[in-house]
Amino acid sequence: MAKKEANTDLWVAKQLEACKISFDAQGSNIKELNEALKTASKRGTGNAGYPEYVAVVRDFVLVIEDKASLDKQIHLTDSGVIATDTKSITDYAVNGAYFYGKHIAQNSAFKKVFALGVSGDEKHHVITPLWVDDHEGYKRLPDIESFVSFSPSNIQEYYTRYVLEEATDIEKTTEQILKDAATLHEYLRTYGTLKDQDKPLVVAGILLALDEIDYGGFRMDSLAGDQLPGNRDGDKLMNAIRTRLTRSNVGPDAKKDKLLSEFSILQTSFRLNETNDVLGKTPLKYYTEFLYEHVFKNIKYQKTSEDFIGRFYGEFMSYSGGDGQTLGIILTPRHITDLMCDLVDVQADDVVLDPTCGTAGFLISAMHRMLSMTESDARRTSIKKKQLHGFELQSNMFAVAAANMILRRDGNSNLQCTDFLKLNPAQTQLKGATVGLMNPPYSQGTKADPLQYELSFIEHLLDSLTIGARAAVIVPQSSMTGKSKAEQAFKSAILKKHTLEGVLTCNTDTFYGVGVNPVIAVFTTGEPHAPEKICKFIDFRDDGYEVQAHVGLVEGDSAKDKRQHLLDVWFGRTKAASKFCVESTVQPDDEWLHSFYYFNDEIPTDADFEKAIGDYLTFEFSMVMQNREYLFQNTAQGGDVDADTE
């Protein structure tokens, strides 16, 4: 057992180091903490007692106790509270951590204390955190998979959300965005009489015009409701948009003209430019003031990978039931675009291609990650000007994507409004893309038009990237089963030219309200899939995101922890039970899903064994009471049950 305990100690230390948590073993280098522990004997002798690890992160103390056996995780009293008798705090991880945490809180100036009990090993483990106060109280928090929530960059948010039970800044911002989107949608409907596809264009166009304020190219007070042609509010907004496009060096002229054509609704709509009696101003001025106050001043585009205009677009479509879903257009949530960038390990020198870019969510996430990796002005300019490529077939979506990138100070240079499937992969490959990210149109393929299957888009993307490139795609689960002959042919063709790295089964609510069960598939391009290649199939349905009434899918308490665990398993930094990750070779006719390859590798605990025996004895007693003891007598003798016996 001592060896197993040492292995657990080493695994915990490794996890703390991975999360950049500085710690001390068997004591603390901080004098006050070490003094407190000098009287922390678990046996109550008043002598010294030291937990496995102590860490100070910002103004919080972490106290960690670990045990090798999962059976030694926690011991509760009959009342369901943590037992504090000597045997319990000596033998059980959580009980011991609670004892040390309480002792520190009561005998030092450190009052913000987390006690963490850990049991098991790298593959099968339990981590239970407690918040400990300096009285006799504690707050048991949900079990976690890693220590990432206690890293220097996350611990304050964890404390706010779990201990204080308050909304974090991110949650407040998200909720406010959704409220603003609902309000703006109502205003657009009531005062603008706009078509579904025009609503996001009006928003994007106005935000581009507002972006000219800092350059002196636009003033809100210039929107005076003048009805003179060339001097209407829409004309002034369009002039500002035109100037903004020029300032961003949008070219060639055909591309600029395409964008201006999409935003021309601001000029051509009589309703938008007419003074509204209720508002006392034109709807355009009203929208411009609303967006300036509620969106433009509050959103720092360069500071986040959040696709805010995409959020608005998604909200507008959800209210209107418009063209988005009928065209198979399902916009990807920010946490998924960020995750997919992580899965393919996007680097500052990568060239990224999204061939169905929608409102540019993937490109925004990739750009945000890439820019965070470099301080070089030359590299940052290269990222924005040369290393982000996107195609979009729908012209209104293309305009929104371009605006999205411009508002982030460029990144739009290599966006094209075109049909990706009609492009020659060899020609696209000349762009030198080393990373592909894609969420293709869903459920458009048929026997009559198999090129619209998601697998067709995947093959076309993989063929369009450089050799050795990484690609991540999010598609419906049905794509990985490939039941039709055409889909089976696509899967075979893909493996002949490219390598499947793995597939993640995602939260069924990822595209909340749409009814799609998505998966993320990751590939390496230009390298035929070797028969002995081991792929990872991960069940990531429990990703920590949950549906919140009137808000939609939001980040839950455990999301960061579960994401870190996923990445640790994906990159081989830790192992996982088969219920989470199965490693296997693949065939084209396999269902490329965790559920297809899953097997149970969990070792039953003593409690599991005792329950199984108890269930069996209960069943046997019940049968005997019903005069059916023959079931057990014949089995014990190795004979067959007499079918005529009652």
Side-chain angles (χ1 to χ4, degrees):
M1 180 60 73
K3 183 176 180 181
K4 289 184 177 180
E5 201 99 346
N7 288 338
T8 303
D9 291 345
L10 291 172
W11 175 76
V12 171
K14 180 181 174 184
Q15 293 301 302
L16 292 171
E17 289 169 353
C19 295
K20 296 182 172 58
I21 298 173
S22 298
F23 60 91
D24 296 311
Q26 297 294 314
S28 175
N29 287 326
I30 296 175
K31 184 177 180 180
E32 186 175 357
L33 288 176
N34 217 45
E35 287 296 319
L37 292 172
K38 285 182 178 179
T39 57
S41 168
K42 288 180 178 178
R43 303 187 185 281
T45 63
N47 295 326
Y50 300 104
E52 257 75 51
Y53 301 108
V54 176
V56 175
V57 183
R58 303 178 81 171
D59 56 344
F60 298 91
V61 174
L62 308 184
V63 179
I64 301 167
E65 276 280 270
D66 64 57
K67 300 293 180 183
S69 172
L70 290 170
D71 290 334
K72 298 299 183 181
Q73 174 64 5
I74 188 170
H75 183 235
L76 304 176
T77 67
D78 293 339
S79 302
V81 299
I82 294 174
T84 56
D85 59 280
T86 300
K87 183 172 177 55
S88 294
I89 63 178
T90 302
D91 292 352
Y92 292 87
V94 175
N95 303 65
Y98 172 51
F99 169 80
Y100 285 124
K102 182 177 65 173
H103 191 86
I104 287 173
Q106 292 177 339
N107 295 277
S108 77
F110 291 92
K111 302 302 179 185
K112 292 184 175 181
V113 181
F114 286 106
L116 296 100
V118 184
S119 64
D121 55 25
E122 181 179 12
K123 197 170 186 179
H124 302 281
H125 58 264
V126 179
I127 306 175
T128 303
L130 305 176
W131 171 255
V132 180
D133 63 34
D134 57 354
H135 300 293
E136 293 298 319
Y138 67 88
K139 183 176 186 179
R140 184 173 177 178
L141 306 173
D143 288 354
I144 55 179
E145 286 286 351
S146 74
F147 297 102
V148 68
S149 295
F150 299 95
S151 69
S153 58
N154 292 329
I155 194 166
Q156 184 61 49
E157 180 184 339
Y158 182 85
Y159 171 72
T160 299
R161 174 178 280 174
Y162 279 90
V163 179
L164 302 183
E165 297 185 8
E166 296 176 356
T168 63
D169 290 342
I170 293 174
E171 291 172 315
K172 291 174 183 175
T173 300
T174 300
E175 189 171 350
Q176 191 58 50
I177 288 170
L178 296 176
K179 286 181 180 178
D180 290 341
T183 302
L184 184 57
H185 177 268
E186 183 65 23
Y187 292 160
L188 290 166
R189 184 185 66 81
T190 303
Y191 304 122
T193 320
L194 291 166
K195 296 178 181 178
D196 293 337
Q197 65 266 29
D198 290 333
K199 294 168 187 172
L201 289 171
V202 169
V203 173
I206 290 174
L207 287 173
L208 282 177
L210 288 172
D211 210 32
E212 268 296 296
I213 291 177
D214 289 344
Y215 302 101
F218 179 69
R219 296 191 346 266
M220 283 198 298
D221 59 10
S222 69
L223 304 181
D226 196 331
Q227 295 302 301
L228 186 67
N231 206 38
R232 297 176 305 166
D233 288 356
D235 298 324
K236 294 171 182 175
L237 286 166
M238 282 298 292
N239 287 336
I241 293 170
R242 189 176 289 105
T243 302
R244 188 68 190 84
L245 296 180
T246 301
R247 195 180 304 282
S248 286
N249 296 314
V250 173
D253 288 345
K255 179 178 177 179
K256 184 189 293 185
D257 291 343
K258 181 79 172 177
L259 292 172
L260 290 171
S261 174
E262 291 299 318
F263 293 126
S264 64
I265 181 68
L266 298 171
Q267 282 180 304
T268 59
S269 171
F270 176 78
R271 186 79 179 269
L272 291 178
N273 285 276
E274 181 185 34
T275 298
N276 182 282
D277 292 337
V278 175
L279 299 175
K281 61 189 74 174
T282 67
L284 278 180
K285 181 167 186 176
Y286 187 72
Y287 301 152
T288 302
E289 291 173 339
F290 179 91
L291 286 167
Y292 181 75
E293 289 297 327
H294 293 268
V295 181
F296 190 79
K297 288 202 306 184
N298 295 327
I299 293 175
K300 305 300 182 186
Y301 292 99
Q302 287 76 33
K303 301 297 184 183
T304 175
S305 61
E306 179 68 86
D307 173 10
F308 291 105
I309 301 181
R311 276 268 191 179
F312 273 63
Y313 187 97
E315 286 304 301
F316 293 163
M317 291 301 109
S318 70
Y319 285 114
S320 60
D323 66 341
Q325 292 180 26
T326 59
L327 291 172
I329 298 169
I330 302 175
L331 300 181
T332 316
R334 189 277 297 269
H335 72 280
I336 294 295
T337 61
D338 285 349
L339 174 62
M340 288 169 66
C341 286
D342 288 340
L343 289 171
V344 294
D345 195 23
V346 172
Q347 296 295 308
D349 59 352
D350 275 316
V351 177
V352 179
L353 170 66
D354 179 357
T356 57
C357 69
T359 60
F362 280 120
L363 296 178
I364 290 168
S365 281
M367 182 169 71
H368 182 70
R369 178 182 164 103
M370 294 161 78
L371 292 174
S372 71
M373 293 178 167
T374 180
E375 297 295 328
S376 165
D377 290 340
R379 171 57 69 187
R380 294 172 73 85
T381 298
S382 175
I383 289 169
K384 293 181 177 182
K385 295 288 187 181
K386 300 177 182 179
Q387 295 174 228
L388 300 166
H389 298 263
F391 304 137
E392 176 51 48
L393 177 61
Q394 303 296 322
S395 58
N396 63 320
M397 298 274 276
F398 165 69
V400 172
N404 238 340
M405 301 302 277
I406 291 169
L407 288 166
R408 285 168 168 75
R409 298 299 178 261
D410 224 328
N412 77 93
S413 302
N414 298 296
L415 295 181
Q416 298 178 42
C417 187
T418 188
D419 186 345
F420 167 60
L421 290 180
K422 292 182 178 179
L423 299 177
N424 184 339
Q427 188 173 357
T428 304
Q429 200 175 53
L430 295 177
K431 294 181 180 295
T434 56
V435 168
L437 299 166
M438 182 175 67
N439 177 5
Y442 289 177
S443 305
Q444 302 299 294
T446 62
K447 288 183 179 179
D449 189 7
L451 290 180
Q452 297 300 319
Y453 280 124
E454 294 88 354
L455 283 165
S456 170
F457 278 87
I458 293 173
E459 183 186 23
H460 206 71
L461 169 62
L462 299 179
D463 291 346
S464 300
L465 302 175
T466 59
I467 294 175
R470 299 96 66 206
V473 300
I474 183 165
V475 293
Q477 183 172 302
S478 57
S479 298
M480 295 295 102
T481 60
K483 294 301 184 183
S484 72
K485 288 184 178 179
E487 289 175 300
Q488 287 288 350
F490 281 126
K491 290 173 71 177
S492 295
I494 287 171
L495 293 189
K496 285 179 181 178
K497 297 176 288 183
H498 311 288
T499 297
L500 175 66
E501 298 295 343
V503 178
L504 281 65
T505 303
C506 299
N507 187 333
T508 55
D509 288 320
T510 296
F511 298 116
Y512 176 63
V514 179
V516 172
N517 294 330
V519 299
I520 297 171
V522 181
F523 299 87
T524 298
T525 63
E527 301 171 4
H529 191 100
E532 67 276 10
K533 166 70 178 178
I534 300 297
C535 303
K536 291 183 178 179
F537 296 91
I538 294 177
D539 183 355
F540 198 50
R541 287 175 296 175
D542 183 12
D543 64 356
Y545 280 78
E546 53 201 37
V547 175
Q548 196 174 98
H550 312 300
V551 176
L553 193 68
V554 298
E555 181 181 302
D557 295 334
S558 61
K560 279 189 173 64
D561 174 61
K562 293 178 184 297
R563 173 197 179 97
Q564 185 62 50
H565 179 61
L566 165 70
L567 294 174
D568 287 342
V569 172
W570 179 256
F571 288 109
R573 294 190 290 260
T574 192
K575 297 178 182 178
S578 62
K579 66 180 180 182
F580 183 76
C581 177
V582 178
E583 297 187 6
S584 176
T585 58
V586 301
Q587 296 294 328
D589 55 354
D590 288 351
E591 296 182 7
W592 295 347
L593 299 169
H594 176 272
S595 57
F596 181 82
Y597 300 99
Y598 171 70
F599 65 94
N600 189 353
D601 67 347
E602 288 199 53
I603 300 172
T605 64
D606 290 347
D608 293 331
F609 177 75
E610 290 169 3
K611 182 178 184 302
I613 294 298
D615 290 343
Y616 176 81
L617 292 175
T618 300
F619 172 72
E620 182 179 13
F621 179 75
S622 175
M623 292 299 99
V624 170
M625 294 301 293
Q626 297 175 46
N627 297 318
R628 302 181 70 181
E629 61 270 19
Y630 63 85
L631 289 171
F632 309 98
Q633 293 170 350
N634 287 349
T635 301
Q637 296 168 7
D640 295 327
V641 175
D642 184 351
D644 295 327
T645 304
E646 294 184 359

